[in-house]
């Protein structure tokens, strides 16, 4: 139904939600939006805290199709890293975030950049390898690409390739930061 009156001949628009999550669009609606500018970074935290949600987990944790990484990815990873390093610094970082103190946030990001970078590189490397395992060549060996038995397989493979390409660009970006 419509919340406003729609006249005859007026176009109707249906929003599928967040276009930066092609995986969700595939799972919920059965199509792949390859024009999406980003995809979720797919970093999963068991039992995320209220603070992590305020830092942007998971809704703003994007990898962009140019290899860019959203600030929220760095913020959440640093906050999680500080949990194991210094609860005092973790709280100071969070307070800086909440108060908009970018200078203090930047200080912590610079202090812990090598460690945060290593965590993110490990995550990205792992997922690129996983997506390689889910590539078309591995599926051919397993299912011989029987499209009658697996009619959604070509779409799933396109999705995995789309996500892998973005992750590979992020991987190159991270490798450049490490050198």
């Amino acid at each position: 139904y419509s919340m406003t009156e729609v006249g005859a001949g007026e176009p109707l628009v249906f929003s599928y939600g967040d276009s930066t999550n092609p995986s969700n669009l595939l799972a919920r609606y059965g199509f792949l939006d390859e024009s999406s500018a980003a995809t979720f970074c797919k970093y999963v935290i068991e039992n995320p805290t209220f603070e992590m949600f305020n830092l942007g987990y998971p809704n703003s944790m994007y990898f962009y199709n140019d290899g860019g990484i959203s600030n929220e990815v760095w913020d959440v990873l640093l906050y999680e890293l500080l949990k194991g390093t210094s609860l005092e610094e973790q709280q100071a970082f969070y307070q800086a975030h909440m108060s908009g103190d970018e200078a203090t946030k930047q200080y912590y990001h610079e202090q812990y950049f090598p460690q945060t970078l290593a965590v993110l590189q490990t995550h990205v490397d792992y997922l690129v390898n996983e997506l390689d395992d889910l590539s078309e060549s591995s599926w051919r060996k397993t299912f011989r690409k029987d499209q009658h038995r697996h009619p959604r397989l070509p779409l799933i493979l396109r999705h995995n390739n789309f996500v892998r390409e973005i992750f590979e660009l992020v991987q190159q970006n991270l490798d450049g930061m490490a050198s």
Side-chain angles (χ1 to χ4, degrees):
Y1 75 95
S2 172
M3 297 184 74
T4 61
E5 191 163 323
V6 179
E10 285 187 52
L12 295 175
V13 177
F14 181 81
S15 172
Y16 288 103
D18 187 359
S19 64
T20 58
N21 188 355
S23 301
N24 184 51
L25 294 175
L26 176 63
R28 292 185 95 180
Y29 303 108
F31 70 88
L32 175 61
D33 178 10
E34 293 174 280
S35 70
S36 180
T39 189
F40 279 108
C41 78
K42 306 189 186 319
Y43 190 82
V44 177
I45 298 171
E46 289 188 35
N47 304 316
T49 64
F50 176 76
E51 291 82 3
M52 287 181 178
F53 289 114
N54 283 338
L55 290 166
Y57 180 82
N59 296 333
S60 297
M61 295 183 63
Y62 301 125
F63 287 159
Y64 298 102
N65 60 12
D66 64 356
I69 302 160
S70 71
N71 290 333
E72 290 82 358
V73 171
W74 295 107
D75 288 349
V76 169
L77 292 178
L78 177 56
Y79 183 80
E80 188 177 43
L81 179 74
L82 290 171
K83 177 176 63 177
T85 305
S86 167
L87 294 178
E88 183 178 301
E89 287 184 310
Q90 183 191 42
Q91 198 58 303
F93 175 75
Y94 179 73
Q95 289 306 317
H97 175 79
M98 294 306 291
S99 66
D101 181 356
E102 292 299 319
T104 300
K105 279 181 65 176
Q106 187 61 32
Y107 167 79
Y108 283 109
H109 278 295
E110 288 172 7
Q111 284 292 113
Y112 290 96
F113 180 73
Q115 297 92 327
T116 310
L117 177 64
V119 169
L120 189 52
Q121 281 181 306
T122 300
H123 169 70
V124 170
D125 291 347
Y126 171 78
L127 279 173
V128 167
N129 287 332
E130 287 293 302
L131 288 164
D132 282 342
D133 288 345
L134 297 172
S135 70
E136 188 169 356
S137 60
S138 67
W139 280 94
R140 268 190 211 168
K141 292 174 195 169
T142 306
F143 294 110
R144 306 225 191 280
K145 243 178 131 140
D146 182 355
Q147 290 188 10
H148 297 298
R149 287 184 61 199
H150 310 285
R152 295 235 185 260
L153 185 57
L155 182 60
I156 293 167
L157 292 172
R158 274 190 23 236
H159 165 268
N160 291 351
N161 190 52
F162 174 78
V163 172
R164 188 181 76 244
E165 287 175 2
I166 291 176
F167 272 66
E168 285 174 341
L169 289 171
V170 170
Q171 192 177 45
Q172 291 171 14
N173 184 8
L174 293 171
D175 290 346
M177 291 177 193
S179 55

